[in-house]
Amino acid sequence: MKTSYAKKAFSDPQSLAATPEVAASLVAKLQKSPLEVDQRLNKLEAVFAESRIFLSNNTLSLNAAALGDTGMCGAKPTVEVLDKNFGAGLDFLLTWKLWLQAGKHCGLTSTLSYLAISEQPLCLGDIKQLHRSWPQLKSLSLKLQKQYPSAIKGFHQLDFGKVKLILVQAESQHARAQVQGKFDVCLGDLEIATNNGYIPPWQRPTLGVTQKSKVAVIGAGISGTATAYSLSQRGFDVTLIERGQALASGASGNRQGMLYAKLPDNATIAGQFHQQGLQHSMGQLKRCLDAKYWQACGLLQLATNAKQVAQMQAVMQRGYPLSWLQWLEQDAAEELAQQPLSAGGLYFPHSGWVSPVDWCESLCDQSGANVWLATDVVGMQQTQNHVWHLTLAGAYSGDYEFDAVVIANANGAKDLLAKQSISLKSIRGQVSYIAADKELGQSPALVVCGEGYVTPAQQGVFAVGASYNLHTVDMALSAQDHTDNLSRLSEVLPRHKKLGSNSIAGGRVSFRAVTPDYLPLVGQLADESKVLDRFAKLRQDANYKFAEEMPYLAGLYINAGHGSKGLITAPLSAEILASQMANQSLPVAQCVAWGLDPNRFIVRDLIRRKR
């Protein structure tokens, strides 16, 4: 059964909220006096000293010998902790305190990655009640409370800079099967559910493939800048290379983008990824971007026909917390939108819109990466010692060497990886900008989605989009696409039916990069010709068990193919990729990481005898 758990998304219901009776019992069980907290601190200190992570000789310090002087992949050393029972977070807060104390004696060059399982998550109110009894942990507990998630099943990564908490809210057996990582300390005698059976080569962890820390990230849209940010947090020396004159010159350059997860009516890997991606993006925006560049104003997904009503009602039956997802009838939805709508539908209270350009700029600034704009990669070759030699043209023309390369330039990946069959297709999209008008063109008070989407106005203009065209590469604005976008607008906001072309205040064309299964390509790339040769027996037997390892290309990674969902998928994908490169526990379930593997289409083609 453990093997099957690792292959599947977390089952419904999606809410793990405890009943009031169960919550009261848990609170009573978890209640600790300040003295008991100090006693627990002493016990944990002994556990860490025994594990040789912390050295204790009257003064705590991190054991560089146990962690490695420079850490895996040249990144800063990481302390990896696994906790079987998060409760109210006492052990996490105490471990954080111990790590801070130890770090004082080594310049805080290490990072702490703490993964905890929570079978029955407490609500924030109960967490606060318990934390009030632990005054010696007040400063840390307030930080935890600020990011504490709703009781939604799945992985939740809370980011405190050099400290990351991966909170897995699920039944213990299911959670353990989905955790991927190598831990220095396991609290509560917990062991990860190891698969003693066969694991296909393409699903085995990719450990120790990048030995140094000089990384080139090619592409500076949301995928590239988020990757630079995540890598820099783990100590990599990042150079961001962008052919455009500015950051977010491609599909990430729209004035406004919606933060939206279209949820399926059953448990799927894609649905789990998009759900977590939305939560992750909203959390990152709260930490990293000034509120004037984004709004958690809420989002409505309208059900404009019977089929959509049935599908959305099925989504509601999956049991999400009402604080995260609600069904609204038309009159209630119109009250939130502050104008007539064509229907009711699903309401995401904590979703909204963001300025992608400002988000990219903020991530880039906080990453501290070297930024090379107006620079094109015209050649890329791996040397005999596995270093990547890049030939650049433009502002930073010349030849450079990097220990690793991350391809994050959307459709441009196919040009850089000409010897690989990269499964990406380019889809043209046009957004129209509408001048807000009090009489005819008033924008909604929140994001509204139907066949297209409409955003609240910013500086007198709101966005409507987007067209979807596979058959043209024309960068010029199309009058027909403007007309089509006006039609999309009137379909969800009936008041706008009288708007004509004179209401158009501009627009923007960009090209999405989309994969055949609409999930991005995230991870380390393999040598395609060697995969086809080494695993040729898949053509005759899809269940053949290989002893051979995956022929990965040392130091070559990709984060691309996000389509129209990049604002909720690219930042989380960057965390997945950076964790893989730094040999840290993954912030997502194993099934999600496998579902995003960039080599999956080669393997599928072999099994289907297409190659």
Side-chain angles (χ1 to χ4, degrees), residues 216 218 380 405-409 412-413 416-417 525 556-560:
I218 302 173
M380 185 174 71
V405 174
V406 179
I407 308 298
N409 61 341
L416 289 175
L417 302 169
L525 288 160
L556 186 60
Y557 301 85
I558 190 169
N559 182 6

Side-chain angles (χ1 to χ4, degrees), residues 300-382:
L300 283 167
Q301 179 190 350
L302 302 187
T304 57
N305 57 52
K307 182 178 179 181
Q308 291 176 354
V309 170
Q311 193 275 335
M312 293 184 198
Q313 291 287 5
V315 171
M316 290 301 302
Q317 293 302 312
R318 299 187 60 198
Y320 287 101
L322 292 178
S323 61
W324 197 72
L325 181 66
Q326 301 171 26
W327 171 266
L328 295 183
E329 297 296 341
Q330 185 171 345
D331 56 348
E334 289 177 341
E335 184 175 349
L336 286 177
Q338 298 179 13
Q339 64 177 278
L341 300 173
S342 58
L346 295 178
Y347 172 51
F348 295 80
H350 300 294
S351 189
W353 64 268
V354 65
S355 164
V357 175
D358 291 294
W359 192 4
C360 290
E361 290 177 351
S362 177
L363 289 171
C364 184
D365 290 343
Q366 293 177 62
S367 74
N370 305 305
V371 181
W372 295 357
L373 298 175
T375 302
D376 198 9
V377 180
V378 295
M380 185 174 71
Q381 184 176 359
Q382 190 176 34

Side-chain angles (χ1 to χ4, degrees), residues 76-91:
K76 300 173 184 178
T78 301
V79 179
E80 296 270 354
V81 180
L82 176 65
D83 181 356
K84 75 171 183 179
N85 186 6
F86 182 74
L90 178 59
D91 280 359

Side-chain angles (χ1 to χ4, degrees), residues 39 432 496 522 540:
Q39 291 172 341
S432 301
H496 296 70
V522 183
Q540 286 74 46

Side-chain angles (χ1 to χ4, degrees), residues 198 200-203 421 423 526-528 530-544 546 550-552 594 597-611:
Y198 172 72
W202 46 91
Q203 293 182 353
S421 298
S423 299
D527 186 313
E528 183 174 328
K530 290 182 179 179
V531 171
L532 294 172
D533 179 64
R534 188 171 297 183
F535 306 126
K537 290 183 179 179
L538 286 173
R539 298 187 182 101
Q540 286 74 46
D541 183 0
N543 297 311
Y544 188 88
F546 297 93
M550 194 72 169
Y552 288 110
W594 295 342
D597 184 87
N599 309 294
R600 63 188 184 272
F601 296 110
I602 308 174
V603 175
R604 290 179 192 179
D605 284 351
L606 278 171
I607 292 173
R608 296 170 182 175
R609 301 178 185 178
K610 291 184 176 181
R611 303 186 68 179

